[in-house]
Amino acid sequence: MNKHGNSERDPVYGYLENPRELLYFDMDGVLADAEARMKEWSNKLDIPVDVLFEKKFYHTPGFYLDLPPVKDAVESFEILSKKYEVYILSAPCWENPSSYTDKRLWVEKFLGEVAYKRLILTNDKSLFSGRALIDDRMKYGVTKFKGEHIHFGSDKFPDWKSVVTYLN
């Protein structure tokens, strides 16, 4: 037990106990590589990727569970978690209820202890504020997020190296 009465595995975090700037990470396309999974399925099924997106293959139960991490995402999350109070802010797939559990298990599998209890699932990212939100899209309230939007995959932030350099 620590001084707050919590087990060592259940660290105290948040504004009050750990006054660091908040940094949010989108999951799909930023931490987890959904496009890589679609390409795998495209090759296996001999169906173009755009057709898979049209047919909404991401509605398939289990789709989010084993997505590979985006290149350098895990290491970057760990580096930035040393400076910022980090959270994963992801929109679940409403039509795929398993996405809620799959995303939670993905975080545990690939991000481990550093991301313990730091997954927030929401379809409205405008409800949150902080130093920045790293997101590859402009959906789900990203444009009204109360802080900076770091547009992952853009010319300014094409990869994790550019994001880490900018935020460190």
Side-chain angles (χ1 to χ4, degrees):
M1 292 291 218
N2 64 24
K3 68 180 182 178
H4 299 288
N6 299 317
S7 71
E8 290 305 317
R9 173 156 181 168
D10 193 11
V12 175
Y13 51 82
Y15 274 138
L16 300 177
E17 294 83 8
N18 223 352
R20 300 185 298 167
E21 289 183 291
L22 289 166
L23 183 62
Y24 298 96
F25 296 71
D26 176 45
M27 191 166 168
D28 310 317
V30 174
L31 293 172
D33 198 342
E35 191 153 328
R37 175 56 39 92
M38 289 295 233
K39 287 178 184 173
E40 285 175 23
W41 285 18
S42 172
N43 291 337
K44 283 181 189 174
L45 301 172
D46 197 28
I47 299 172
V49 170
D50 58 332
V51 172
L52 291 177
F53 273 105
E54 281 174 31
K55 292 185 181 279
K56 301 184 178 182
F57 260 57
Y58 47 89
H59 289 183
T60 305
F63 176 80
Y64 296 92
L65 184 58
D66 291 317
L67 297 178
V70 169
K71 183 180 185 300
D72 300 324
V74 172
E75 299 81 4
S76 299
F77 187 89
E78 291 171 1
I79 289 166
L80 293 171
S81 72
K82 292 177 180 152
K83 181 175 181 178
Y84 297 95
E85 196 64 22
V86 296
Y87 288 89
I88 299 110
L89 191 57
S90 184
C93 181
W94 191 254
E95 294 80 7
N96 176 2
S98 82
S99 73
Y100 293 78
T101 303
D102 293 346
K103 286 178 181 233
R104 160 43 185 98
L105 292 171
W106 188 96
V107 168
E108 182 179 354
K109 179 178 181 177
F110 290 103
L111 300 177
E113 285 292 317
V114 73
Y116 183 67
K117 292 189 179 180
R118 294 182 179 267
L119 173 63
I120 301 168
L121 297 174
T122 181
N123 280 308
D124 189 354
K125 296 177 182 181
S126 72
L127 298 171
F128 298 86
S129 62
R131 164 67 177 85
L133 166 60
I134 304 162
D135 204 314
D136 62 324
R137 300 173 73 191
M138 306 293 267
K139 292 178 72 173
Y140 305 114
V142 168
T143 59
K144 298 200 189 295
F145 170 78
K146 295 161 199 78
E148 181 180 4
H149 172 216
I150 294 176
H151 196 165
F152 188 80
S154 66
D155 290 341
K156 186 174 180 181
F157 300 108
D159 54 26
W160 274 109
K161 183 179 179 183
S162 61
V163 173
V164 170
T165 298
Y166 178 73
L167 289 169
N168 263 335

